[in-house]
Coordinates of all heavy atoms in Angstrom, one line a residue:
R49 N 82.9 77.8 116.4 CA 82.1 77.7 117.6 C 81.0 76.7 117.4 O 80.7 76.3 116.3 CB 81.5 79.0 118.0 CG 82.5 80.1 118.4 CD 81.9 81.4 118.8 NE 81.2 82.0 117.7 CZ 81.9 82.7 116.7 NH1 83.1 83.0 116.9 NH2 81.2 83.3 115.7
L50 N 80.3 76.3 118.5 CA 79.3 75.3 118.4 C 77.9 75.8 117.9 O 76.9 75.1 118.0 CB 79.1 74.5 119.7 CG 80.3 73.5 120.0 CD1 80.0 72.9 121.4 CD2 80.4 72.4 119.0
D51 N 77.9 77.1 117.5 CA 76.6 77.7 117.1 C 76.2 77.1 115.8 O 77.0 76.6 115.0 CB 76.8 79.2 116.9 CG 77.3 79.9 118.1 OD1 77.1 79.4 119.2 OD2 78.0 81.0 118.0
I52 N 74.9 77.2 115.5 CA 74.3 76.8 114.2 C 75.0 77.6 113.1 O 75.2 78.8 113.2 CB 72.8 77.0 114.2 CG1 72.1 76.2 115.2 CG2 72.2 76.8 112.8 CD1 72.1 74.7 114.9
V53 N 75.4 76.9 112.0 CA 76.0 77.5 110.9 C 75.0 77.7 109.8 O 74.4 76.7 109.4 CB 77.3 76.7 110.5 CG1 77.9 77.3 109.2 CG2 78.3 76.7 111.6
D54 N 75.0 78.9 109.2 CA 74.1 79.1 108.0 C 74.9 78.8 106.7 O 75.7 79.6 106.3 CB 73.6 80.6 108.0 CG 72.6 80.9 109.1 OD1 71.8 80.0 109.4 OD2 72.7 82.0 109.7
A55 N 74.6 77.6 106.2 CA 75.2 77.3 104.9 C 74.4 78.0 103.8 O 73.6 78.9 104.0 CB 75.1 75.8 104.7
R56 N 74.7 77.7 102.5 CA 74.1 78.4 101.4 C 72.6 78.1 101.3 O 72.1 77.0 101.8 CB 74.7 78.0 100.1 CG 76.2 78.4 100.0 CD 76.7 78.3 98.6 NE 76.4 79.5 97.8 CZ 76.8 79.8 96.6 NH1 77.6 79.0 96.0 NH2 76.4 80.9 95.9
Y57 N 71.8 79.0 100.8 CA 70.4 78.9 100.5 C 69.6 78.7 101.8 O 68.5 78.1 101.8 CB 70.2 77.7 99.6 CG 71.2 77.6 98.5 CD1 72.0 76.5 98.4 CD2 71.4 78.7 97.6 CE1 73.0 76.5 97.4 CE2 72.3 78.6 96.6 CZ 73.1 77.5 96.5 OH 74.1 77.5 95.5
G58 N 70.1 79.2 102.9 CA 69.3 79.1 104.2 C 69.4 77.8 104.9 O 68.7 77.6 105.9
F59 N 70.2 76.8 104.4 CA 70.3 75.5 105.1 C 71.2 75.7 106.4 O 72.2 76.3 106.3 CB 71.0 74.6 104.2 CG 71.1 73.1 104.6 CD1 70.1 72.2 104.3 CD2 72.1 72.7 105.5 CE1 70.2 70.9 104.7 CE2 72.2 71.4 105.9 CZ 71.2 70.5 105.5
Q60 N 70.7 75.2 107.5 CA 71.4 75.3 108.8 C 71.9 74.0 109.2 O 71.2 72.9 109.1 CB 70.4 75.9 109.8 CG 70.0 77.3 109.5 CD 69.2 78.0 110.6 OE1 68.4 77.3 111.2 NE2 69.5 79.2 110.9
V61 N 73.1 74.0 109.8 CA 73.7 72.8 110.3 C 74.4 73.1 111.6 O 75.0 74.1 111.8 CB 74.7 72.2 109.2 CG1 75.7 73.2 108.9 CG2 75.3 70.9 109.7
K62 N 74.4 72.1 112.5 CA 75.1 72.2 113.8 C 76.4 71.4 113.8 O 76.4 70.2 113.5 CB 74.2 71.8 114.9 CG 74.7 72.1 116.3 CD 73.8 71.7 117.4 CE 74.2 72.3 118.8 NZ 75.6 72.1 119.1
P63 N 77.5 72.1 114.1 CA 78.8 71.3 114.2 C 78.8 70.3 115.3 O 78.1 70.6 116.4 CB 79.8 72.4 114.3 CG 79.1 73.6 114.9 CD 77.7 73.5 114.4
H64 N 79.5 69.3 115.2 CA 79.7 68.3 116.3 C 80.8 68.8 117.2 O 80.7 68.5 118.4 CB 80.2 67.0 115.7 CG 79.2 66.3 114.8 ND1 79.3 66.4 113.4 CD2 78.1 65.5 115.1 CE1 78.3 65.7 112.9 NE2 77.6 65.2 113.9
F65 N 81.8 69.5 116.7 CA 82.9 70.0 117.5 C 83.2 71.4 117.2 O 82.9 71.9 116.1 CB 84.1 69.1 117.3 CG 84.0 67.7 117.7 CD1 83.8 66.7 116.8 CD2 84.0 67.3 119.1 CE1 83.6 65.4 117.1 CE2 83.9 66.0 119.4 CZ 83.7 65.0 118.5
E66 N 83.9 72.1 118.1 CA 84.5 73.4 117.8 C 86.0 73.3 117.7 O 86.6 72.3 118.1 CB 84.1 74.4 118.9 CG 84.5 74.0 120.3 CD 83.9 75.0 121.4 OE1 83.3 76.0 121.0 OE2 84.0 74.6 122.6
F67 N 86.6 74.4 117.2 CA 88.1 74.4 117.0 C 88.9 74.0 118.2 O 89.9 73.3 118.1 CB 88.5 75.7 116.5 CG 88.1 76.0 115.0 CD1 88.3 77.3 114.5 CD2 87.5 75.1 114.2 CE1 88.0 77.6 113.2 CE2 87.1 75.3 112.9 CZ 87.4 76.6 112.4
E68 N 88.5 74.5 119.4 CA 89.3 74.3 120.6 C 89.1 73.0 121.3 O 89.8 72.7 122.2 CB 89.0 75.5 121.5 CG 89.4 76.9 121.0 CD 90.8 76.9 120.5 OE1 91.7 76.4 121.2 OE2 91.0 77.5 119.4
K69 N 88.1 72.2 120.8 CA 87.9 70.9 121.5 C 87.3 69.9 120.5 O 86.1 70.0 120.3 CB 87.0 71.2 122.7 CG 86.8 69.9 123.6 CD 86.0 70.2 124.8 CE 85.9 69.0 125.7 NZ 85.0 69.3 126.9
H70 N 88.1 69.0 120.0 CA 87.6 68.0 119.1 C 88.4 66.8 119.1 O 89.6 66.8 119.6 CB 87.5 68.6 117.7 CG 88.8 69.1 117.1 ND1 89.7 68.3 116.6 CD2 89.2 70.4 116.9 CE1 90.8 69.0 116.2 NE2 90.5 70.2 116.3
S71 N 87.9 65.7 118.6 CA 88.6 64.5 118.4 C 89.8 64.6 117.5 O 89.9 65.6 116.7 CB 87.7 63.4 117.9 OG 86.6 63.2 118.8
R72 N 90.7 63.7 117.6 CA 91.9 63.7 116.6 C 91.3 63.6 115.2 O 90.3 62.9 114.9 CB 92.7 62.4 116.9 CG 94.0 62.3 116.0 CD 94.6 60.9 116.1 NE 93.8 59.9 115.4 CZ 93.1 59.0 115.9 NH1 92.9 58.9 117.2 NH2 92.4 58.1 115.1
I73 N 92.0 64.3 114.3 CA 91.5 64.3 112.9 C 92.6 63.6 112.0 O 93.7 64.1 112.0 CB 91.2 65.7 112.4 CG1 90.0 66.3 113.1 CG2 91.0 65.7 110.9 CD1 89.7 67.7 112.8
D74 N 92.2 62.5 111.4 CA 93.2 61.8 110.5 C 93.1 62.3 109.1 O 94.0 62.4 108.4 CB 92.9 60.3 110.5 CG 92.9 59.8 111.9 OD1 94.0 59.9 112.5 OD2 91.9 59.2 112.4
L75 N 91.8 62.6 108.7 CA 91.6 63.2 107.3 C 90.8 64.5 107.4 O 89.7 64.5 108.0 CB 90.8 62.2 106.5 CG 90.7 62.4 105.0 CD1 90.4 61.1 104.2 CD2 89.6 63.5 104.7
L76 N 91.4 65.6 107.0 CA 90.8 66.9 107.1 C 90.2 67.2 105.7 O 90.9 67.1 104.7 CB 91.8 67.9 107.4 CG 91.3 69.4 107.4 CD1 90.3 69.6 108.5 CD2 92.5 70.3 107.6
L77 N 88.9 67.6 105.7 CA 88.2 68.0 104.4 C 87.7 69.4 104.5 O 87.0 69.8 105.5 CB 87.1 67.0 104.1 CG 86.5 67.2 102.7 CD1 86.1 65.9 102.1 CD2 85.2 68.1 102.8
I78 N 88.2 70.2 103.6 CA 87.8 71.6 103.5 C 86.8 71.8 102.4 O 87.2 71.8 101.2 CB 89.0 72.6 103.4 CG1 90.0 72.3 104.4 CG2 88.5 74.0 103.4 CD1 89.6 72.5 105.9
P79 N 85.5 72.1 102.6 CA 84.6 72.3 101.5 C 84.7 73.7 101.0 O 85.4 74.6 101.5 CB 83.2 72.0 102.2 CG 83.4 72.4 103.6 CD 84.9 72.1 103.9
G80 N 83.9 74.0 99.9 CA 83.9 75.3 99.4 C 82.5 76.0 99.5 O 81.8 75.7 100.4
G81 N 82.2 76.8 98.5 CA 81.0 77.7 98.6 C 81.5 79.1 98.6 O 82.4 79.5 97.9
V82 N 80.8 80.0 99.3 CA 81.2 81.3 99.5 C 82.3 81.4 100.6 O 81.9 81.2 101.8 CB 80.0 82.3 99.8 CG1 80.5 83.7 100.0 CG2 79.0 82.1 98.8
V83 N 83.5 81.5 100.2 CA 84.6 81.3 101.2 C 85.2 82.7 101.8 O 86.2 82.7 102.4 CB 85.8 80.5 100.6 CG1 85.3 79.1 100.4 CG2 86.3 81.1 99.3
D84 N 84.4 83.7 101.6 CA 84.9 85.0 102.1 C 85.1 85.0 103.6 O 86.1 85.5 104.1 CB 83.9 86.1 101.7 CG 83.8 86.3 100.2 OD1 84.6 85.8 99.5 OD2 82.8 87.0 99.8
Q85 N 84.1 84.5 104.3 CA 84.2 84.5 105.8 C 85.4 83.7 106.3 O 86.3 84.2 107.1 CB 82.9 84.0 106.4 CG 82.9 84.1 108.0 CD 83.6 83.0 108.7 OE1 83.7 81.9 108.2 NE2 84.0 83.3 109.9
P86 N 85.6 82.4 105.9 CA 86.8 81.7 106.4 C 88.1 82.3 105.9 O 89.1 82.2 106.7 CB 86.6 80.3 105.9 CG 85.6 80.4 104.8 CD 84.7 81.5 105.1
R87 N 88.1 82.9 104.7 CA 89.4 83.4 104.2 C 89.8 84.7 105.0 O 91.0 85.0 105.1 CB 89.3 83.7 102.7 CG 89.2 82.5 101.9 CD 89.5 82.8 100.4 NE 90.9 83.2 100.3 CZ 91.4 83.6 99.2 NH1 90.7 83.8 98.1 NH2 92.7 83.9 99.1
A88 N 88.8 85.3 105.6 CA 89.1 86.5 106.4 C 89.3 86.2 107.9 O 89.5 87.1 108.7 CB 88.0 87.6 106.2
S89 N 89.1 85.0 108.3 CA 89.1 84.6 109.7 C 90.5 84.0 110.1 O 90.8 82.9 109.7 CB 88.0 83.6 110.0 OG 88.2 83.0 111.3
V90 N 91.2 84.7 110.9 CA 92.5 84.3 111.3 C 92.4 83.0 112.2 O 93.2 82.0 112.0 CB 93.3 85.4 112.2 CG1 94.5 84.8 112.8 CG2 93.6 86.5 111.2
P91 N 91.4 82.9 113.1 CA 91.3 81.6 113.8 C 91.0 80.4 112.9 O 91.5 79.3 113.1 CB 90.1 81.9 114.7 CG 90.1 83.3 114.9 CD 90.5 83.9 113.6
T92 N 90.2 80.6 111.8 CA 89.9 79.5 110.9 C 91.2 79.1 110.1 O 91.5 77.9 110.0 CB 88.8 79.9 109.9 OG1 87.6 80.2 110.7 CG2 88.5 78.8 108.9
L93 N 91.9 80.1 109.6 CA 93.1 79.8 108.8 C 94.2 79.1 109.7 O 94.8 78.2 109.3 CB 93.6 81.1 108.2 CG 92.7 81.7 107.2 CD1 93.3 83.1 106.7 CD2 92.6 80.8 105.9
D94 N 94.3 79.6 110.9 CA 95.3 79.0 111.9 C 94.9 77.6 112.2 O 95.8 76.7 112.2 CB 95.4 79.8 113.2 CG 96.1 81.2 113.0 OD1 96.8 81.3 111.9 OD2 96.1 82.0 113.9
W95 N 93.6 77.3 112.4 CA 93.2 76.0 112.7 C 93.4 75.1 111.5 O 93.8 73.9 111.7 CB 91.7 76.0 113.1 CG 91.1 74.7 113.4 CD1 91.2 74.0 114.6 CD2 90.4 73.8 112.5 NE1 90.6 72.8 114.5 CE2 90.1 72.6 113.2 CE3 90.0 73.9 111.2 CZ2 89.5 71.6 112.6 CZ3 89.4 72.9 110.6 CH2 89.1 71.7 111.3
I96 N 93.1 75.5 110.3 CA 93.3 74.7 109.1 C 94.8 74.3 109.0 O 95.1 73.1 108.8 CB 92.8 75.4 107.8 CG1 91.3 75.5 107.8 CG2 93.3 74.7 106.6 CD1 90.8 76.4 106.7
K97 N 95.7 75.2 109.1 CA 97.1 74.9 109.0 C 97.6 74.0 110.1 O 98.2 73.0 109.8 CB 97.9 76.2 109.1 CG 99.4 76.1 108.9 CD 99.7 75.6 107.5 CE 101.2 75.6 107.2 NZ 102.0 74.8 108.0
R98 N 97.2 74.3 111.3 CA 97.6 73.4 112.5 C 97.0 72.0 112.3 O 97.7 71.0 112.5 CB 97.1 74.1 113.8 CG 97.5 73.4 115.0 CD 97.2 74.2 116.2 NE 95.7 74.3 116.5 CZ 95.0 75.4 116.3 NH1 95.6 76.5 115.9 NH2 93.7 75.4 116.5
T99 N 95.8 71.9 112.0 CA 95.1 70.6 111.9 C 95.6 69.8 110.7 O 95.9 68.6 110.7 CB 93.6 70.8 111.8 OG1 93.1 71.6 112.9 CG2 92.9 69.4 111.8
A100 N 95.9 70.5 109.6 CA 96.4 69.9 108.4 C 97.8 69.3 108.6 O 98.1 68.2 108.1 CB 96.4 70.8 107.2
D101 N 98.6 70.0 109.3 CA 100.0 69.6 109.6 C 100.0 68.3 110.4 O 100.9 67.5 110.3 CB 100.7 70.7 110.4 CG 101.1 71.8 109.5 OD1 101.1 71.7 108.3 OD2 101.5 72.9 110.1
A102 N 98.9 68.1 111.2 CA 98.9 66.9 112.1 C 98.1 65.7 111.4 O 98.2 64.6 111.9 CB 98.2 67.2 113.4
A103 N 97.4 66.0 110.3 CA 96.5 65.0 109.7 C 97.3 64.1 108.7 O 98.4 64.5 108.3 CB 95.4 65.7 108.9
T104 N 96.8 62.9 108.5 CA 97.4 62.0 107.5 C 97.1 62.4 106.1 O 97.9 62.3 105.2 CB 97.0 60.6 107.8 OG1 97.3 60.2 109.1 CG2 97.7 59.6 106.8
V105 N 95.8 62.9 105.9 CA 95.3 63.2 104.5 C 94.6 64.6 104.7 O 93.9 64.8 105.6 CB 94.4 62.2 104.0 CG1 93.9 62.6 102.6 CG2 95.0 60.8 103.9
V106 N 94.8 65.4 103.7 CA 94.2 66.7 103.6 C 93.5 66.9 102.3 O 94.1 66.6 101.2 CB 95.2 67.9 103.8 CG1 94.5 69.2 103.8 CG2 95.9 67.7 105.1
T107 N 92.2 67.3 102.3 CA 91.4 67.4 101.0 C 90.6 68.7 101.0 O 90.3 69.3 102.0 CB 90.5 66.2 100.9 OG1 89.4 66.3 101.9 CG2 91.2 64.9 101.1
S108 N 90.2 69.0 99.8 CA 89.3 70.1 99.6 C 88.3 69.8 98.5 O 88.6 69.0 97.6 CB 90.0 71.4 99.3 OG 90.6 71.4 98.0
V109 N 87.1 70.4 98.6 CA 86.1 70.3 97.5 C 85.9 71.8 97.0 O 85.8 72.7 97.8 CB 84.8 69.7 98.1 CG1 83.8 69.7 97.0 CG2 85.1 68.4 98.7
C110 N 85.8 71.9 95.7 CA 85.4 73.2 95.1 C 86.3 74.3 95.6 O 87.6 74.2 95.5 CB 83.9 73.5 95.5 SG 83.1 74.8 94.6
T111 N 85.8 75.5 96.0 CA 86.6 76.6 96.4 C 87.3 76.4 97.7 O 88.0 77.3 98.2 CB 85.8 77.9 96.4 OG1 84.6 77.7 97.1 CG2 85.4 78.3 95.0
G112 N 87.1 75.3 98.3 CA 87.9 75.0 99.5 C 89.4 75.0 99.2 O 90.2 75.2 100.1
A113 N 89.7 74.8 97.9 CA 91.1 74.9 97.5 C 91.8 76.2 97.8 O 93.0 76.3 98.1 CB 91.3 74.6 96.0
F114 N 91.0 77.3 97.8 CA 91.5 78.6 98.1 C 92.0 78.7 99.5 O 93.0 79.3 99.8 CB 90.5 79.7 97.8 CG 90.3 80.0 96.4 CD1 89.5 79.2 95.6 CD2 90.9 81.1 95.8 CE1 89.3 79.5 94.3 CE2 90.7 81.4 94.5 CZ 89.9 80.6 93.7
L115 N 91.3 78.0 100.4 CA 91.7 78.0 101.8 C 93.0 77.2 102.0 O 93.9 77.6 102.8 CB 90.6 77.4 102.7 CG 89.4 78.3 102.8 CD1 88.2 77.5 103.3 CD2 89.6 79.5 103.7
L116 N 93.1 76.1 101.4 CA 94.4 75.3 101.4 C 95.5 76.1 100.8 O 96.6 76.1 101.4 CB 94.2 74.0 100.7 CG 93.2 72.9 101.3 CD1 93.3 71.6 100.6 CD2 93.5 72.7 102.8
A117 N 95.3 76.7 99.7 CA 96.3 77.5 99.1 C 96.7 78.7 99.9 O 97.9 79.1 100.0 CB 95.8 78.0 97.7
Q118 N 95.7 79.3 100.6 CA 96.0 80.5 101.4 C 97.0 80.2 102.5 O 97.8 81.1 102.9 CB 94.7 81.2 101.9 CG 94.9 82.5 102.5 CD 93.6 83.2 102.8 OE1 92.6 83.0 102.1 NE2 93.6 84.2 103.7
V119 N 96.9 79.0 103.1 CA 97.8 78.7 104.2 C 99.0 77.9 103.7 O 99.8 77.4 104.5 CB 97.1 77.9 105.3 CG1 96.0 78.7 105.9 CG2 96.5 76.6 104.8
G120 N 99.2 77.9 102.4 CA 100.5 77.3 101.8 C 100.5 75.9 101.6 O 101.5 75.3 101.2
L121 N 99.4 75.2 101.7 CA 99.3 73.7 101.6 C 99.4 73.2 100.2 O 99.6 72.0 100.0 CB 98.1 73.2 102.4 CG 98.2 73.3 103.9 CD1 96.8 73.0 104.5 CD2 99.2 72.4 104.5
L122 N 99.2 74.1 99.2 CA 99.2 73.6 97.8 C 100.4 74.1 97.1 O 100.5 73.8 95.9 CB 97.9 74.1 97.1 CG 96.5 73.6 97.6 CD1 95.4 74.2 96.8 CD2 96.5 72.1 97.7

Side-chain angles (χ1 to χ4, degrees):
R49 293 179 295 276
L50 288 176
D51 303 333
I52 296 292
V53 173
D54 291 322
R56 296 195 82 174
Y57 320 117
F59 188 93
Q60 295 187 319
V61 59
K62 190 177 190 308
H64 298 97
F65 297 103
E66 59 187 348
F67 288 171
E68 297 307 315
K69 188 176 182 181
H70 59 76
S71 299
R72 183 193 76 253
I73 293 174
D74 303 301
L75 190 158
L76 175 64
L77 188 142
I78 307 298
V82 181
V83 292
D84 296 347
Q85 188 276 337
R87 292 198 67 188
S89 169
V90 172
T92 298
L93 296 172
D94 287 347
W95 178 84
I96 290 172
K97 182 65 167 66
R98 185 172 68 251
T99 307
D101 286 345
T104 304
V105 180
V106 180
T107 70
S108 68
V109 180
C110 194
T111 51
F114 284 81
L115 291 164
L116 295 186
Q118 189 167 338
V119 297
L121 291 168
L122 298 183

